[in-house]
Amino acid sequence: MLDLPKFFQRLNHIVERIMPSIDDRYIKKFPSSANAFKTAVEFFPSGITHQNRHAEPFPVYFNSGSGGVKFDLDDNTIIDFVMGNGSLLQGHAHPKIVEAISSQVARGTHLGGSTLFEIEWAKSVKNLVPWLEQVRFTNSGTESTYLALRCIRAFNGKSKILKFEEHFHGWHEYALPSQGNAGPAFVPQAIMDMVVVVKPDLGEVEKALKEHPDIGVVMLEPTGAHYACFPLQPKTFLKGLRDLTSQHNVVLMFDETITGFRISKGGAQIRYNVQPDISVFGKIVAGGMPGAAIAGRSDILEMMSFKGDPDWDNNRRIGQGGTFNGNPPTAIAGIVGLNMIANEPVNQVADAMAARLRTGLNSAFESTNIPGFAYGIASIVNPFFGKYPSKSTDLESPDLSYEEVRKNMTGVRKGYLTKAMLTHDVHVMGGQVFMVSSAHTEEQIDQTIEAFELSLRDLKSEGIL
């Protein structure tokens, strides 16, 4: 008599020997990238120029993009949900932004002085976040958080910073403690002692503010750490945090490098109607070009102003350099991109495509009977492994503990999901985030859902899930 369990077990072993693995398919699909990586390791540490591009056995190399897709060295068409690490809300090479940048490049990329573009760019920012009083432009989110912290310390004379576990604010030394993806190696203890780290719990915040009266600023990613992969509940948490910081006379800083102009036209602060004292913007603020900004209360930002007092101007004023601050091509990209957001249904289209994607990913979890679900706010979609959603699960910002996220969203699972999806012509950022754009089409979303289901089956067959 046929022993069915043993038969199917043997059949599975045969199939596993015949079917190529995820790694086999990845290597076969991207041979030109493998060759490029062999050259890259001769020039760059680990062969990469950004830590998020680290991949085993090699990263995929791309050479162009258009709309919702991009193209690699082997001419594969890849549906892209990295989207410039979230900076391309309008997709790759939007004609209006391309035309604006190209026309300005022909007239000069750096004019060595002030331009009207700076003023128009600041107007475009304030148009979407009306309560901002002043703006200063920088070149990256890291620069912006560092500059903002210096201004805040000069303003209130308090030395300590409160940040939240896993929240990422760049790679300067005050941002490194407990940021999750790179340790504070060789940071002097004196600097480490200036940073108080807590989990996003209002009780812990209140306790820290009472125990450390020299905390001058609380900073956070307003929807949770790492593109909300460690989600918090912003509807209640942000208002409570605003109340606590006001009660203790502490500056509240929103790092909206990711959320700004994406989760609403005016970012998290407009969506949840919570006014921080200082905001940091990056990515979308510059229309996909290298650029960022700090903005907010004028009495804080005035710490950078010249006053005609030699002692102030030379010794106490917060100085800011930056060769390419507000350079014309970046400024005009920011102007055009932000004005599109203000006047066109950019966010609405991206949000609708993301909603379609979330629904489809959840259907894929159900059809494969793999524990997990997809959640996310606006045009950001996050898959989560290891737990079935309940009827009460908030699919915008679920209540997931740090322990649950670390246990279930392991580096191995995220890495293999990224590779499996790439073999099915989709690039998901870090195996845990889909950054949806207004350029993505329903067809591309549906292809992505199919690729996700296939990838879940791939990971399950290899024992990764």
Side-chain angles (χ1 to χ4, degrees):
M1 185 174 179
L2 180 63
D3 186 334
L4 287 177
K6 286 187 177 180
F7 170 77
F8 284 113
Q9 187 178 32
R10 289 171 182 168
L11 182 61
N12 285 335
H13 288 160
I14 293 170
V15 170
E16 287 173 4
R17 287 196 296 268
I18 296 174
M19 294 295 291
S21 68
I22 294 170
D23 280 326
D24 290 338
R25 289 188 284 117
Y26 183 87
I27 292 168
K28 183 177 180 180
K29 189 177 183 73
F30 303 110
S32 297
S33 290
N35 289 331
F37 184 65
K38 290 176 183 177
T39 303
V41 295
E42 298 176 9
F43 295 96
F44 313 124
S46 293
I48 52 176
T49 57
H50 188 297
Q51 64 183 11
N52 288 359
R53 293 174 195 152
H54 175 69
E56 295 291 347
F58 56 83
V60 177
Y61 285 72
F62 301 95
N63 54 27
S64 64
S66 177
V69 301
K70 58 188 177 184
F71 309 94
D72 78 322
L73 302 185
D74 292 295
D75 294 324
N76 295 299
T77 301
I78 306 294
I79 302 171
D80 184 25
F81 293 98
V82 179
M83 280 293 156
N85 290 28
S87 64
L88 303 174
L89 184 59
Q90 292 94 334
H92 289 282
H94 191 284
K96 291 183 179 179
I97 297 176
V98 169
E99 181 182 3
I101 296 170
S102 300
S103 64
Q104 182 54 45
V105 167
R107 295 195 293 267
T109 58
H110 195 311
L111 303 180
S114 299
T115 71
L116 293 178
F117 296 123
E118 300 167 334
I119 299 171
E120 291 305 313
W121 192 10
K123 286 181 180 178
S124 296
V125 173
K126 291 188 66 173
N127 179 47
L128 293 170
V129 192
W131 54 48
L132 301 176
E133 294 175 359
Q134 288 189 330
V135 181
R136 262 292 177 98
F137 293 114
T138 68
N139 293 293
S140 71
T142 294
E143 285 183 40
S144 293
T145 59
Y146 191 27
L147 179 61
L149 292 175
R150 293 194 64 215
C151 288
I152 292 165
R153 280 177 160 165
F155 170 73
N156 60 24
K158 297 181 179 181
S159 59
K160 288 188 177 180
I161 300 158
L162 188 148
K163 74 177 291 286
F164 294 101
E165 191 174 338
E166 290 282 351
H167 285 223
F168 183 82
H169 303 290
W171 41 267
H172 58 79
E173 292 181 327
Y174 293 107
L176 288 176
S178 191
Q179 69 165 237
N181 57 12
F186 307 109
V187 175
Q189 189 61 44
I191 291 179
M192 294 290 291
D193 291 342
M194 293 295 101
V195 183
V196 178
V197 179
V198 301
K199 288 185 177 179
D201 173 271
L202 293 176
E204 287 198 30
V205 174
E206 185 171 22
K207 180 182 177 183
L209 293 179
K210 288 178 178 178
E211 291 180 352
H212 301 273
D214 47 352
I215 290 175
V217 57
V218 174
M219 64 178 178
L220 79 160
E221 295 184 81
T223 59
H226 306 303
Y227 298 82
C229 292
F230 292 82
L232 51 77
Q233 288 66 56
K235 292 178 183 177
T236 54
F237 185 77
L238 297 180
K239 284 183 169 59
L241 192 62
R242 175 70 282 181
D243 291 342
L244 277 176
T245 51
S246 296
Q247 290 166 17
H248 289 268
N249 195 29
V250 171
V251 171
L252 178 60
M253 184 173 101
F254 278 10
D255 185 347
E256 295 227 48
T257 300
I258 293 166
T259 57
F261 316 108
R262 175 178 285 277
I263 69 166
S264 82
K265 289 177 182 288
Q269 55 196 280
I270 297 298
R271 183 183 183 102
Y272 300 110
N273 193 30
V274 176
Q275 183 174 347
D277 301 296
I278 291 292
S279 301
V280 169
F281 301 106
K283 302 184 186 297
I284 293 170
V285 75
M289 291 284 280
I294 68 171
R297 284 171 47 183
S298 59
D299 56 349
I300 297 174
L301 297 186
E302 282 290 336
M303 304 310 294
M304 292 183 280
S305 288
F306 288 90
K307 296 183 177 180
D309 174 357
D311 178 53
W312 171 268
D313 291 347
N314 297 321
N315 301 317
R316 295 161 55 204
R317 178 183 59 85
I318 299 300
Q320 181 214 7
T323 299
F324 290 98
N325 293 346
N327 67 83
T330 293
I332 199 166
I335 294 164
V336 172
L338 294 178
N339 289 350
M340 287 176 65
I341 290 170
N343 301 314
E344 301 176 21
V346 173
N347 296 79
Q348 295 93 318
V349 172
D351 291 359
M353 292 299 101
R356 186 184 185 97
L357 179 60
R358 270 192 301 275
T359 299
L361 298 189
N362 281 318
S363 295
F365 275 115
E366 292 177 10
S367 64
T368 57
N369 198 30
I370 291 175
F373 61 93
Y375 67 91
I377 300 171
S379 55
I380 303 175
V381 179
N382 308 78
F384 179 77
F385 298 133
K387 181 179 181 179
Y388 291 108
S390 68
K391 291 183 179 179
S392 62
T393 300
D394 182 351
L395 293 181
E396 257 197 13
S397 47
D399 186 7
L400 297 173
S401 70
Y402 278 55
E403 290 73 23
E404 284 180 296
V405 175
R406 289 169 179 150
K407 176 184 176 182
N408 291 294
M409 299 303 292
T410 64
V412 170
R413 286 177 168 180
K414 292 184 292 186
Y416 271 97
L417 179 63
T418 301
K419 286 190 283 189
M421 291 288 283
L422 279 165
T423 67
H424 297 299
D425 300 317
V426 177
H427 195 185
V428 53
M429 184 161 63
Q432 59 185 343
V433 184
F434 294 81
M435 301 300 283
V436 184
S437 77
S438 61
H440 284 113
T441 65
E442 290 185 355
E443 181 181 5
Q444 289 166 354
I445 296 298
D446 292 344
Q447 290 174 6
T448 300
I449 295 166
E450 181 180 355
F452 186 74
E453 180 170 336
L454 291 171
S455 296
L456 288 180
R457 296 187 188 280
D458 292 339
L459 268 64
K460 187 176 182 179
S461 70
E462 296 195 20
I464 297 166
L465 287 178

mmCIF file of all heavy atoms in Angstrom, residues 44-78:
data_model
loop_
_atom_site.group_PDB
_atom_site.id
_atom_site.type_symbol
_atom_site.label_atom_id
_atom_site.label_comp_id
_atom_site.label_asym_id
_atom_site.label_seq_id
_atom_site.Cartn_x
_atom_site.Cartn_y
_atom_site.Cartn_z
ATOM 1 N N PHE A 44 35.702 50.168 -3.988
ATOM 2 C CA PHE A 44 34.863 50.592 -2.866
ATOM 3 C C PHE A 44 34.894 49.572 -1.727
ATOM 4 O O PHE A 44 34.959 48.370 -1.995
ATOM 5 C CB PHE A 44 33.396 50.760 -3.311
ATOM 6 C CG PHE A 44 33.213 51.532 -4.580
ATOM 7 C CD1 PHE A 44 32.526 50.977 -5.655
ATOM 8 C CD2 PHE A 44 33.723 52.811 -4.718
ATOM 9 C CE1 PHE A 44 32.338 51.672 -6.830
ATOM 10 C CE2 PHE A 44 33.537 53.527 -5.890
ATOM 11 C CZ PHE A 44 32.851 52.952 -6.952
ATOM 12 N N PRO A 45 34.817 50.018 -0.482
ATOM 13 C CA PRO A 45 34.659 49.066 0.623
ATOM 14 C C PRO A 45 33.400 48.214 0.412
ATOM 15 O O PRO A 45 32.315 48.755 0.171
ATOM 16 C CB PRO A 45 34.512 49.969 1.855
ATOM 17 C CG PRO A 45 35.156 51.257 1.465
ATOM 18 C CD PRO A 45 34.896 51.411 -0.016
ATOM 19 N N SER A 46 33.571 46.917 0.432
ATOM 20 C CA SER A 46 32.486 45.959 0.161
ATOM 21 C C SER A 46 31.902 46.116 -1.237
ATOM 22 O O SER A 46 30.855 45.554 -1.554
ATOM 23 C CB SER A 46 31.368 46.066 1.204
ATOM 24 O OG SER A 46 31.827 45.650 2.471
ATOM 25 N N GLY A 47 32.536 46.915 -2.077
ATOM 26 C CA GLY A 47 32.089 47.075 -3.453
ATOM 27 C C GLY A 47 30.867 47.948 -3.620
ATOM 28 O O GLY A 47 30.255 47.958 -4.695
ATOM 29 N N ILE A 48 30.508 48.724 -2.595
ATOM 30 C CA ILE A 48 29.261 49.514 -2.647
ATOM 31 C C ILE A 48 29.520 50.949 -2.221
ATOM 32 O O ILE A 48 30.530 51.259 -1.581
ATOM 33 C CB ILE A 48 28.166 48.894 -1.746
ATOM 34 C CG1 ILE A 48 28.699 48.652 -0.335
ATOM 35 C CG2 ILE A 48 27.646 47.594 -2.359
ATOM 36 C CD1 ILE A 48 27.671 48.136 0.655
ATOM 37 N N THR A 49 28.565 51.830 -2.534
ATOM 38 C CA THR A 49 28.661 53.237 -2.149
ATOM 39 C C THR A 49 27.539 53.658 -1.207
ATOM 40 O O THR A 49 27.388 54.835 -0.893
ATOM 41 C CB THR A 49 28.637 54.147 -3.398
ATOM 42 O OG1 THR A 49 27.442 53.896 -4.141
ATOM 43 C CG2 THR A 49 29.851 53.897 -4.275
ATOM 44 N N HIS A 50 26.740 52.708 -0.755
ATOM 45 C CA HIS A 50 25.681 52.946 0.235
ATOM 46 C C HIS A 50 25.450 51.623 0.942
ATOM 47 O O HIS A 50 25.316 50.582 0.290
ATOM 48 C CB HIS A 50 24.398 53.421 -0.459
ATOM 49 C CG HIS A 50 23.313 53.873 0.477
ATOM 50 N ND1 HIS A 50 22.713 53.038 1.392
ATOM 51 C CD2 HIS A 50 22.694 55.071 0.627
ATOM 52 C CE1 HIS A 50 21.789 53.694 2.068
ATOM 53 N NE2 HIS A 50 21.763 54.940 1.629
ATOM 54 N N GLN A 51 25.376 51.652 2.267
ATOM 55 C CA GLN A 51 25.289 50.392 3.018
ATOM 56 C C GLN A 51 24.038 49.572 2.662
ATOM 57 O O GLN A 51 24.050 48.339 2.746
ATOM 58 C CB GLN A 51 25.313 50.657 4.517
ATOM 59 C CG GLN A 51 24.138 51.444 5.061
ATOM 60 C CD GLN A 51 24.288 51.721 6.548
ATOM 61 O OE1 GLN A 51 25.347 51.507 7.137
ATOM 62 N NE2 GLN A 51 23.226 52.208 7.173
ATOM 63 N N ASN A 52 22.969 50.233 2.237
ATOM 64 C CA ASN A 52 21.744 49.499 1.899
ATOM 65 C C ASN A 52 21.861 48.715 0.597
ATOM 66 O O ASN A 52 20.969 47.930 0.269
ATOM 67 C CB ASN A 52 20.554 50.453 1.811
ATOM 68 C CG ASN A 52 20.117 50.952 3.170
ATOM 69 O OD1 ASN A 52 20.689 50.569 4.188
ATOM 70 N ND2 ASN A 52 19.115 51.814 3.202
ATOM 71 N N ARG A 53 22.941 48.928 -0.148
ATOM 72 C CA ARG A 53 23.120 48.190 -1.403
ATOM 73 C C ARG A 53 23.915 46.904 -1.218
ATOM 74 O O ARG A 53 24.153 46.179 -2.193
ATOM 75 C CB ARG A 53 23.793 49.096 -2.438
ATOM 76 C CG ARG A 53 22.871 50.244 -2.844
ATOM 77 C CD ARG A 53 23.518 51.268 -3.747
ATOM 78 N NE ARG A 53 22.679 52.473 -3.759
ATOM 79 C CZ ARG A 53 23.127 53.691 -3.979
ATOM 80 N NH1 ARG A 53 24.404 53.890 -4.213
ATOM 81 N NH2 ARG A 53 22.303 54.716 -3.962
ATOM 82 N N HIS A 54 24.287 46.646 0.005
ATOM 83 C CA HIS A 54 24.991 45.384 0.270
ATOM 84 C C HIS A 54 24.048 44.214 0.011
ATOM 85 O O HIS A 54 22.908 44.193 0.473
ATOM 86 C CB HIS A 54 25.472 45.335 1.719
ATOM 87 C CG HIS A 54 26.090 44.024 2.100
ATOM 88 N ND1 HIS A 54 27.296 43.598 1.585
ATOM 89 C CD2 HIS A 54 25.652 43.031 2.913
ATOM 90 C CE1 HIS A 54 27.588 42.419 2.076
ATOM 91 N NE2 HIS A 54 26.607 42.031 2.882
ATOM 92 N N ALA A 55 24.512 43.237 -0.758
ATOM 93 C CA ALA A 55 23.703 42.053 -1.080
ATOM 94 C C ALA A 55 24.632 40.887 -1.365
ATOM 95 O O ALA A 55 25.742 41.070 -1.862
ATOM 96 C CB ALA A 55 22.801 42.319 -2.283
ATOM 97 N N GLU A 56 24.162 39.704 -1.038
ATOM 98 C CA GLU A 56 24.910 38.481 -1.331
ATOM 99 C C GLU A 56 24.216 37.711 -2.450
ATOM 100 O O GLU A 56 23.001 37.583 -2.450
ATOM 101 C CB GLU A 56 24.978 37.597 -0.079
ATOM 102 C CG GLU A 56 25.749 38.191 1.080
ATOM 103 C CD GLU A 56 27.245 38.284 0.819
ATOM 104 O OE1 GLU A 56 27.713 37.657 -0.160
ATOM 105 O OE2 GLU A 56 27.933 38.988 1.569
ATOM 106 N N PRO A 57 24.953 37.236 -3.441
ATOM 107 C CA PRO A 57 26.409 37.301 -3.610
ATOM 108 C C PRO A 57 26.885 38.607 -4.250
ATOM 109 O O PRO A 57 28.082 38.870 -4.265
ATOM 110 C CB PRO A 57 26.693 36.110 -4.528
ATOM 111 C CG PRO A 57 25.452 35.981 -5.361
ATOM 112 C CD PRO A 57 24.314 36.354 -4.463
ATOM 113 N N PHE A 58 25.974 39.418 -4.760
ATOM 114 C CA PHE A 58 26.325 40.704 -5.365
ATOM 115 C C PHE A 58 25.034 41.516 -5.514
ATOM 116 O O PHE A 58 23.936 40.959 -5.573
ATOM 117 C CB PHE A 58 26.992 40.516 -6.748
ATOM 118 C CG PHE A 58 26.161 39.718 -7.723
ATOM 119 C CD1 PHE A 58 25.153 40.317 -8.481
ATOM 120 C CD2 PHE A 58 26.369 38.351 -7.885
ATOM 121 C CE1 PHE A 58 24.380 39.572 -9.373
ATOM 122 C CE2 PHE A 58 25.602 37.598 -8.770
ATOM 123 C CZ PHE A 58 24.602 38.216 -9.515
ATOM 124 N N PRO A 59 25.144 42.847 -5.579
ATOM 125 C CA PRO A 59 23.958 43.657 -5.837
ATOM 126 C C PRO A 59 23.664 43.740 -7.329
ATOM 127 O O PRO A 59 24.553 43.513 -8.156
ATOM 128 C CB PRO A 59 24.356 45.028 -5.291
ATOM 129 C CG PRO A 59 25.832 45.085 -5.495
ATOM 130 C CD PRO A 59 26.333 43.666 -5.311
ATOM 131 N N VAL A 60 22.427 44.063 -7.667
ATOM 132 C CA VAL A 60 22.067 44.288 -9.065
ATOM 133 C C VAL A 60 22.421 45.726 -9.433
ATOM 134 O O VAL A 60 22.203 46.658 -8.655
ATOM 135 C CB VAL A 60 20.566 44.024 -9.298
ATOM 136 C CG1 VAL A 60 20.185 44.325 -10.748
ATOM 137 C CG2 VAL A 60 20.222 42.584 -8.942
ATOM 138 N N TYR A 61 22.974 45.899 -10.624
ATOM 139 C CA TYR A 61 23.352 47.224 -11.132
ATOM 140 C C TYR A 61 22.324 47.691 -12.158
ATOM 141 O O TYR A 61 21.936 46.927 -13.042
ATOM 142 C CB TYR A 61 24.743 47.160 -11.780
ATOM 143 C CG TYR A 61 25.872 47.079 -10.774
ATOM 144 C CD1 TYR A 61 26.095 45.906 -10.056
ATOM 145 C CD2 TYR A 61 26.697 48.171 -10.530
ATOM 146 C CE1 TYR A 61 27.111 45.821 -9.121
ATOM 147 C CE2 TYR A 61 27.735 48.098 -9.597
ATOM 148 C CZ TYR A 61 27.929 46.919 -8.901
ATOM 149 O OH TYR A 61 28.935 46.848 -7.972
ATOM 150 N N PHE A 62 21.916 48.957 -12.028
ATOM 151 C CA PHE A 62 20.913 49.535 -12.922
ATOM 152 C C PHE A 62 21.514 50.709 -13.694
ATOM 153 O O PHE A 62 22.447 51.360 -13.227
ATOM 154 C CB PHE A 62 19.704 50.010 -12.111
ATOM 155 C CG PHE A 62 19.050 48.917 -11.316
ATOM 156 C CD1 PHE A 62 19.375 48.709 -9.984
ATOM 157 C CD2 PHE A 62 18.124 48.072 -11.903
ATOM 158 C CE1 PHE A 62 18.797 47.696 -9.253
ATOM 159 C CE2 PHE A 62 17.527 47.045 -11.186
ATOM 160 C CZ PHE A 62 17.868 46.857 -9.844
ATOM 161 N N ASN A 63 20.957 50.970 -14.865
ATOM 162 C CA ASN A 63 21.493 52.088 -15.651
ATOM 163 C C ASN A 63 20.476 53.108 -16.114
ATOM 164 O O ASN A 63 20.848 54.161 -16.624
ATOM 165 C CB ASN A 63 22.293 51.578 -16.861
ATOM 166 C CG ASN A 63 21.508 50.623 -17.732
ATOM 167 O OD1 ASN A 63 20.279 50.682 -17.778
ATOM 168 N ND2 ASN A 63 22.205 49.730 -18.419
ATOM 169 N N SER A 64 19.175 52.842 -15.946
ATOM 170 C CA SER A 64 18.179 53.845 -16.321
ATOM 171 C C SER A 64 16.834 53.477 -15.714
ATOM 172 O O SER A 64 16.626 52.352 -15.244
ATOM 173 C CB SER A 64 18.049 53.962 -17.850
ATOM 174 O OG SER A 64 17.567 52.751 -18.409
ATOM 175 N N GLY A 65 15.921 54.460 -15.736
ATOM 176 C CA GLY A 65 14.585 54.224 -15.220
ATOM 177 C C GLY A 65 13.581 55.111 -15.923
ATOM 178 O O GLY A 65 13.927 56.187 -16.442
ATOM 179 N N SER A 66 12.331 54.680 -15.935
ATOM 180 C CA SER A 66 11.262 55.465 -16.556
ATOM 181 C C SER A 66 9.941 55.104 -15.887
ATOM 182 O O SER A 66 9.568 53.920 -15.857
ATOM 183 C CB SER A 66 11.186 55.168 -18.063
ATOM 184 O OG SER A 66 10.112 55.875 -18.660
ATOM 185 N N GLY A 67 9.277 56.099 -15.340
ATOM 186 C CA GLY A 67 7.993 55.841 -14.704
ATOM 187 C C GLY A 67 8.135 54.910 -13.516
ATOM 188 O O GLY A 67 8.893 55.161 -12.581
ATOM 189 N N GLY A 68 7.435 53.781 -13.562
ATOM 190 C CA GLY A 68 7.461 52.842 -12.458
ATOM 191 C C GLY A 68 8.464 51.723 -12.602
ATOM 192 O O GLY A 68 8.478 50.799 -11.778
ATOM 193 N N VAL A 69 9.317 51.776 -13.632
ATOM 194 C CA VAL A 69 10.260 50.684 -13.865
ATOM 195 C C VAL A 69 11.679 51.218 -14.022
ATOM 196 O O VAL A 69 11.903 52.412 -14.238
ATOM 197 C CB VAL A 69 9.886 49.857 -15.121
ATOM 198 C CG1 VAL A 69 8.492 49.264 -14.981
ATOM 199 C CG2 VAL A 69 9.980 50.712 -16.385
ATOM 200 N N LYS A 70 12.639 50.281 -13.924
ATOM 201 C CA LYS A 70 14.031 50.605 -14.208
ATOM 202 C C LYS A 70 14.662 49.420 -14.918
ATOM 203 O O LYS A 70 14.070 48.329 -14.988
ATOM 204 C CB LYS A 70 14.788 50.954 -12.923
ATOM 205 C CG LYS A 70 14.794 49.879 -11.856
ATOM 206 C CD LYS A 70 15.407 50.426 -10.569
ATOM 207 C CE LYS A 70 15.364 49.399 -9.438
ATOM 208 N NZ LYS A 70 15.877 49.949 -8.168
ATOM 209 N N PHE A 71 15.852 49.623 -15.450
ATOM 210 C CA PHE A 71 16.474 48.636 -16.326
ATOM 211 C C PHE A 71 17.886 48.333 -15.846
ATOM 212 O O PHE A 71 18.660 49.244 -15.548
ATOM 213 C CB PHE A 71 16.489 49.170 -17.767
ATOM 214 C CG PHE A 71 15.141 49.664 -18.231
ATOM 215 C CD1 PHE A 71 14.815 51.013 -18.115
ATOM 216 C CD2 PHE A 71 14.201 48.778 -18.723
ATOM 217 C CE1 PHE A 71 13.561 51.465 -18.522
ATOM 218 C CE2 PHE A 71 12.950 49.227 -19.129
ATOM 219 C CZ PHE A 71 12.625 50.571 -19.027
ATOM 220 N N ASP A 72 18.212 47.052 -15.790
ATOM 221 C CA ASP A 72 19.527 46.655 -15.294
ATOM 222 C C ASP A 72 20.492 46.443 -16.451
ATOM 223 O O ASP A 72 20.156 46.670 -17.626
ATOM 224 C CB ASP A 72 19.403 45.402 -14.426
ATOM 225 C CG ASP A 72 19.240 44.138 -15.257
ATOM 226 O OD1 ASP A 72 18.550 44.209 -16.290
ATOM 227 O OD2 ASP A 72 19.806 43.099 -14.881
ATOM 228 N N LEU A 73 21.712 46.009 -16.139
ATOM 229 C CA LEU A 73 22.746 45.865 -17.162
ATOM 230 C C LEU A 73 22.440 44.757 -18.158
ATOM 231 O O LEU A 73 23.028 44.726 -19.241
ATOM 232 C CB LEU A 73 24.102 45.597 -16.491
ATOM 233 C CG LEU A 73 24.602 46.638 -15.488
ATOM 234 C CD1 LEU A 73 26.016 46.270 -15.022
ATOM 235 C CD2 LEU A 73 24.585 48.045 -16.072
ATOM 236 N N ASP A 74 21.556 43.834 -17.796
ATOM 237 C CA ASP A 74 21.179 42.753 -18.706
ATOM 238 C C ASP A 74 19.852 43.021 -19.395
ATOM 239 O O ASP A 74 19.237 42.111 -19.959
ATOM 240 C CB ASP A 74 21.107 41.433 -17.936
ATOM 241 C CG ASP A 74 22.479 40.971 -17.469
ATOM 242 O OD1 ASP A 74 23.310 40.667 -18.335
ATOM 243 O OD2 ASP A 74 22.715 40.955 -16.249
ATOM 244 N N ASP A 75 19.412 44.278 -19.355
ATOM 245 C CA ASP A 75 18.188 44.730 -20.022
ATOM 246 C C ASP A 75 16.921 44.083 -19.473
ATOM 247 O O ASP A 75 15.905 43.978 -20.170
ATOM 248 C CB ASP A 75 18.273 44.497 -21.542
ATOM 249 C CG ASP A 75 19.340 45.356 -22.202
ATOM 250 O OD1 ASP A 75 19.515 46.509 -21.754
ATOM 251 O OD2 ASP A 75 20.000 44.880 -23.139
ATOM 252 N N ASN A 76 16.956 43.652 -18.216
ATOM 253 C CA ASN A 76 15.728 43.228 -17.558
ATOM 254 C C ASN A 76 14.917 44.462 -17.178
ATOM 255 O O ASN A 76 15.476 45.470 -16.720
ATOM 256 C CB ASN A 76 16.042 42.427 -16.285
ATOM 257 C CG ASN A 76 16.742 41.118 -16.581
ATOM 258 O OD1 ASN A 76 16.193 40.267 -17.258
ATOM 259 N ND2 ASN A 76 17.959 40.959 -16.069
ATOM 260 N N THR A 77 13.617 44.400 -17.373
ATOM 261 C CA THR A 77 12.725 45.466 -16.936
ATOM 262 C C THR A 77 12.212 45.125 -15.546
ATOM 263 O O THR A 77 11.536 44.111 -15.348
ATOM 264 C CB THR A 77 11.528 45.624 -17.895
ATOM 265 O OG1 THR A 77 12.021 45.926 -19.213
ATOM 266 C CG2 THR A 77 10.602 46.735 -17.434
ATOM 267 N N ILE A 78 12.562 45.970 -14.580
ATOM 268 C CA ILE A 78 12.274 45.707 -13.168
ATOM 269 C C ILE A 78 11.274 46.751 -12.654
ATOM 270 O O ILE A 78 11.525 47.955 -12.753
ATOM 271 C CB ILE A 78 13.559 45.769 -12.317
ATOM 272 C CG1 ILE A 78 14.632 44.836 -12.887
ATOM 273 C CG2 ILE A 78 13.249 45.461 -10.863
ATOM 274 C CD1 ILE A 78 14.301 43.374 -12.816
#
